[in-house]
Amino acid sequence: MTRSQASPGALRRLLGRAGIEFHPGEAPAALRLFAAMFFCLSFQYAAKSVRQATFVDSFGAVQLPVVYLLVALLTYPLVRLYGRLSDRLDPARLVLLTCGLTAGGLVVFWRLYGEPWRWVPFVFYLWITVALALTLSQFWAYAATLFDSRQAKRLFGFVGAGALLGGAAGGQVARLSSELADTRAALLVGAGLLLVAGGLVSARHRRQQPEERAAQAERPAAGDLDQLRRSRHLRLVAGMFTLSIVVAQIVDLQFNWVVEQATTGLADRTAFFGNFYTITGLAAVVFQLAFTSRIHRGLGVGFALRVLPVTLIVGTTGLLLAAGFFPALLLASGLALKVGENGIRYSLDQVARELLLLPVARKLRARAKALIDVVVQRGAKGLAALLLLPVAFGWLSPISAGWASLLLIAVWLALVPAVYREYVRAYREKLREESADEGMPIDLNDVRTLEVLIQTLGSSDSRQVLHSLELLAAHGRGHLVPPLLLYHDDARVRRATLRVLGETRRDDAMPLVERRLSDQDPEVRAAAIRVLASLRHVDACSLMLPRLDEPNAAIRAAAIACVGKLGDPSMVERAGEALRDMLSDARPEIRREAARCLGAIPEPAFRDELLKLLYDRDTSVVREAIGSVHRRLARDGVHSLYLPTLISLLRDRRLKHDVREALLAFGEPVIPALLHFLNEPEEHVWVRRAIPKTLARLDTPAATRALVENLGDQPDPFLRRKMIEALGSARGRDPLAPIDRPVTAEARVEAVAYLQTLADLDGLGDDQGEQRDLLSRLLHERLDDHLRNMFGLLALLFPPEPIRAAHLSVASGAPTRTDALEYLDNTLGGELRKTVLAVIEDRPLVDKLVAAERTLGVQRRDGIEVLRSCLDSARSPGPDGEFLTAAALYRIYTERRSALYPEVERLAAEATDPFVQETAGWVSARLATEVERPAR
């Protein structure tokens, strides 16, 4: 998006009031397609007027079900022919070929209508019905190749208005032709109009870039038709379309019957149908311009799909009431029903049906549209014909068929929610396109089985080794366990081996067991002590007390742990002396062993020594001390004395994971302390930023609630991001947590902050894609942060995977961006939808900011005001304000913004942040030098 310098023109403002927006570069294609649709529909309605008038005049309206059925039977071979042509021609050439053949057919039937043959209206009805469907389907399919889903929502209303105006004009073409010449003359005029429409498509096609033509010319691969049949989305669309066509045929029969009763003669009926189509077209145009785009953009496709069936319920009920109680109103009610049906079907409902096909892959879309518009439509008309055969045979009146309409409309309305859900799911899937049963009995008397178990002891998979050890010990074969497993890399295997060696009284393994006294894992040391004491038949303290003077630090630490835990007071005192001697050693490896052994000693023994180790100058010593605190808390219960020190250690990225595990041992009682540090502005920023994940790891409703309630108090975007990510992981474990309302409010906060930053960049004269200096880069980083946070919040309310895919598409400008926008447009609702779309919708920058100012309170400021605001950032909460202030100071210097020089001098004198004060002083000195130099 580029910065707009000009205000919208009068035409653009007028269309904007109707909900139609032209973005840069879209107007030529949209206007040409508007004109092509105008001429195409002019031909269509002129031909339909002739078709209806001549058939009703020759055969009567009650015979329409017969021709409906024959049209359905003729459709299949014609569609097979169409399929072969569509495989060989791109959409534009297919439109031109169809226009030429149809225009030639019109000339032929113009000649045939001059003969006194009664079968001509019948054959013309069959031929023109299929030709009309193919022509209109191809024009809309061609339109779908020019615009993506977001453009379609904005521009299909405008294009459809051209079609509807053409329908109004076509009706008058038929009327004037019948008055000035004869009814069949309308066919020649229609042929000319159709050739003009095809010429407009041809002109547009010649101006396209080669890559556009290549994209449009993609052909469906073999088996694509089967894929269309397998698509649940297309099946539901086809089912809904079938119901709508069947109801439309019933309405059409009723209307034609009413017209037949109210008119006499071919010219009268041609004029009536022509005037009717004009009235219908004008009504549809008004509805199109006034409501279609607004409904699709404001209320969505789901609402738009319900308008037509509800209108038909009202109109059909009115017709039934008029027939039963008010016969004088029969023609008026029939007109109202048909005008409502035609007007909405070819405006709002037409656009909705086109949008339903946009999630389908481009190469399948034309075939899908032909399948639905021709095969399904004609099949539906055949079904309607079967339902209406009783009318043709005189067993049922046309008006009574309205009861069947009401039943079908009820089924239609019930199907709409499923169609809409599948439509949204199709976009979600489109975005998405862009991991030994121990209970089995075992027989160790079998030699082969025993060999396998012993071989498994040498496996690199620790789980297999542990399982084999358990099986051997459980079946009395522990004597087969090799003591060399005491050197296994996994401490769990070493502990299990020690247990088996002790249970089987393996005296031969005693030297290897003694070496485990210096093991890196404290639990292995404790197990080795127990096994040695058991094998030597002595007390563990008596065994280890002499080793308090052992030169090997690991063995000495093991002795301290054993005696400090199990010894009498005098022994514990001796262990304390040995511990303090190790703690005073200058070598970190000695202090590290001392810190490790303290985890095996229960609280409160040597607590002061352990607290001091948390402040050791060596990180590895502190890590071992944290691990010992964790083991004590998990075993002996929590003690708040450790809490402040542990939380302060979160600032060290090398230790924060160990600290977090220790804090989790406190459970929910740690939440108040974590929130205190989180909301303390003076606390180290990286301590605060590490707390949200810690809260989330507690995995309790209280922790989730704490994150939600404190999210709004954090001005630091990075900290907010950490809290949102933490909420995401917590939400995955507790999907029922009531967070919808506060999360929606915070999404609005992020959206407003994004748009305010965007407005500030515009005020500074920076394009959204331009990064002129440090200030621009910082503001662009804020844009990215706010957008990331907004999508992170959305992922808390909706399925996270498609939301993340949508964020990636929107942020990167990938080809799937329009699919992402359409998915969000149809997934979000209410104020949240409006807020999010205000950020991500593709609109000219000036329009986006004007709308944000009007609806979200975003302030549009000039460059001086934006820079003044940045200068105040150092005093605002948040850890990065001083960098924004410094960048603003440099921008003031480079652009010589003299109006802000007093602010620079004030910061140089009063700023509390050293970095800001130094930068302000440098800028102030340079500016002063430049002022003095000209004075000399």
Side-chain angles (χ1 to χ4, degrees), residues 339-418:
V339 168
E341 189 266 337
N342 264 22
I344 294 176
R345 179 178 298 279
Y346 296 113
S347 58
L348 180 68
D349 196 67
Q350 176 74 47
V351 175
R353 283 185 279 117
E354 298 303 325
L355 290 172
L356 287 177
L357 294 178
L358 287 177
V360 179
R362 180 187 293 270
K363 67 178 183 177
L364 300 176
R365 195 180 300 152
R367 295 291 289 272
K369 183 161 181 58
L371 185 70
I372 291 173
D373 284 355
V374 181
V375 176
V376 174
Q377 183 175 7
R378 300 309 145 201
K381 289 192 175 185
L383 177 60
L386 293 175
L387 292 176
L388 293 173
L389 282 178
V391 176
F393 297 148
W395 301 339
L396 189 70
S397 71
I399 300 301
S400 300
W403 296 108
S405 285
L406 293 178
L407 178 61
L408 292 171
I409 294 170
V411 179
W412 179 359
L413 281 170
L415 190 60
V416 166

Side-chain angles (χ1 to χ4, degrees), residues 429-449:
E429 292 300 321
K430 197 173 181 183
L431 286 172
R432 190 171 293 156
E433 292 172 1
E434 305 218 20
S435 153
D437 184 0
E438 298 183 6
M440 291 179 62
I442 188 168
D443 181 15
L444 293 190
N445 291 320
D446 179 68
V447 176
R448 179 58 184 161
T449 303

Side-chain angles (χ1 to χ4, degrees), residues 237-255:
V237 171
M240 186 185 70
F241 193 49
T242 298
L243 290 170
S244 101
I245 292 300
V246 172
V247 173
Q249 292 301 99
I250 296 174
V251 171
D252 187 65
L253 174 64
Q254 292 172 326
F255 174 69

Side-chain angles (χ1 to χ4, degrees), residues 200-473:
L200 289 169
V201 170
S202 175
R204 161 67 189 170
H205 185 64
R206 287 195 299 271
R207 286 175 171 79
Q208 283 181 295
Q209 296 299 321
E211 57 270 20
E212 291 183 89
R213 297 186 189 181
Q216 290 182 4
E218 288 181 348
R219 290 286 154 258
D224 281 347
L225 200 55
D226 291 335
Q227 186 172 348
L228 297 178
R229 295 192 188 101
R230 291 195 301 268
S231 169
R232 174 177 166 81
H233 173 58
L234 290 176
R235 290 201 309 271
L236 287 172
V237 171
M240 186 185 70
F241 193 49
T242 298
L243 290 170
S244 101
I245 292 300
V246 172
V247 173
Q249 292 301 99
I250 296 174
V251 171
D252 187 65
L253 174 64
Q254 292 172 326
F255 174 69
N256 280 278
W257 181 81
V258 170
V259 172
E260 182 184 4
Q261 306 306 310
T263 58
T264 57
L266 178 59
D268 187 23
R269 285 174 180 145
T270 303
F272 185 93
F273 279 114
N275 287 329
F276 163 73
Y277 287 131
T278 296
I279 294 171
T280 301
L282 292 175
V285 168
V286 172
F287 192 92
Q288 183 89 335
L289 294 177
F291 301 109
T292 295
S293 291
R294 294 184 185 278
I295 287 175
H296 279 292
R297 297 185 63 191
L299 300 174
V301 175
F303 182 89
L305 291 173
R306 292 176 171 88
V307 175
L308 180 58
V310 171
T311 302
L312 289 173
I313 286 178
V314 175
T316 301
T317 303
L319 183 66
L320 291 170
L321 290 174
F325 303 101
F326 310 102
L329 297 177
L330 191 59
L331 179 60
S333 59
L335 276 171
L337 173 60
K338 188 63 175 176
V339 168
E341 189 266 337
N342 264 22
I344 294 176
R345 179 178 298 279
Y346 296 113
S347 58
L348 180 68
D349 196 67
Q350 176 74 47
V351 175
R353 283 185 279 117
E354 298 303 325
L355 290 172
L356 287 177
L357 294 178
L358 287 177
V360 179
R362 180 187 293 270
K363 67 178 183 177
L364 300 176
R365 195 180 300 152
R367 295 291 289 272
K369 183 161 181 58
L371 185 70
I372 291 173
D373 284 355
V374 181
V375 176
V376 174
Q377 183 175 7
R378 300 309 145 201
K381 289 192 175 185
L383 177 60
L386 293 175
L387 292 176
L388 293 173
L389 282 178
V391 176
F393 297 148
W395 301 339
L396 189 70
S397 71
I399 300 301
S400 300
W403 296 108
S405 285
L406 293 178
L407 178 61
L408 292 171
I409 294 170
V411 179
W412 179 359
L413 281 170
L415 190 60
V416 166
V419 173
Y420 181 66
R421 285 195 300 271
E422 198 63 27
Y423 170 71
V424 176
R425 190 201 63 78
Y427 271 110
R428 185 166 65 241
E429 292 300 321
K430 197 173 181 183
L431 286 172
R432 190 171 293 156
E433 292 172 1
E434 305 218 20
S435 153
D437 184 0
E438 298 183 6
M440 291 179 62
I442 188 168
D443 181 15
L444 293 190
N445 291 320
D446 179 68
V447 176
R448 179 58 184 161
T449 303
L450 193 60
E451 288 180 356
V452 170
L453 276 180
I454 295 175
Q455 289 174 1
T456 304
L457 293 176
S459 171
S460 59
D461 188 342
S462 299
R463 293 173 299 178
Q464 292 185 8
V465 177
L466 288 169
H467 185 46
S468 297
L469 285 171
E470 291 172 3
L471 288 173
L472 289 170

Side-chain angles (χ1 to χ4, degrees), residues 611 614-615 626 629 633 640-653 655-656 658-660 662-664 666 669-680 683-692 694-695:
L611 281 169
L614 293 174
Y615 294 95
I626 294 170
V629 171
L633 294 173
S640 59
L641 193 63
Y642 296 109
L643 199 51
T645 305
L646 285 174
I647 294 177
S648 67
L649 289 173
L650 286 171
R651 67 182 181 275
D652 192 331
R653 61 182 179 84
L655 300 172
K656 67 178 180 180
D658 302 279
V659 173
R660 188 172 284 131
L663 289 172
L664 293 178
F666 283 88
V670 78
I671 293 177
L674 290 174
L675 292 180
H676 171 76
F677 282 88
L678 176 70
N679 295 313
E680 176 52 57
E683 183 56 56
H684 194 283
V685 62
W686 287 106
V687 171
R688 300 176 65 202
R689 289 174 174 176
I691 288 174
T694 308
L695 284 167

